[in-house]
Amino acid sequence: IDLCRRFAARGGDKFAELAHGHSPAGLPLLDDAVAWIDCAIERVVEVGDHWLVVGAVEALGRREEAAPLLFFQGGYHDLSRLDG
C-alpha cells in the first residue's frame, strides 16, 4: 500500500532509492510487480479534459503466485473478499 501511495503522489522521482529492474524495452519494472506490459504508442485521442492513449503490446509478463492490489470505493482490498 505504501508503494501505491508513493506512485499516486504528485512530483518527485518515484524510483529514487527503490529496488527495481527493467522491462525488455528498458523501462523501470518494480521487482514485486504482479504484471507488466511494454507498449508502443499507436495513437493519442483527446477525450474531454483527458487523453486516451492506445498502445500496441510489444511484451508482457506476470507472476504466477501473486494477488493484485485493488483500490475500490476509497480503500485497498483483497480481490477474493469482493465476491458476493
Side-chain angles (χ1 to χ4, degrees):
I1 294 174
D2 291 337
L3 189 57
C4 183
R5 288 187 178 133
R6 175 183 185 149
F7 279 88
R10 290 182 185 231
D13 180 357
K14 308 296 187 209
F15 290 93
E17 300 178 27
L18 179 64
H20 65 281
H22 293 88
S23 72
L27 301 171
L29 179 59
L30 299 175
D31 290 347
D32 294 329
V34 173
W36 58 271
I37 303 173
D38 271 340
C39 292
I41 295 175
E42 289 286 314
R43 67 181 176 274
V44 179
V45 181
E46 189 172 355
V47 183
D49 62 348
H50 290 75
W51 297 95
L52 171 66
V53 180
V54 179
V57 176
E58 296 185 337
L60 55 87
R62 67 180 172 94
R63 288 179 41 211
E64 293 291 329
E65 300 295 325
L69 177 64
L70 179 67
F71 187 81
F72 178 67
Q73 294 182 337
Y76 296 97
H77 302 276
D78 178 340
L79 190 59
S80 65
R81 295 174 57 198
L82 292 177
D83 293 337

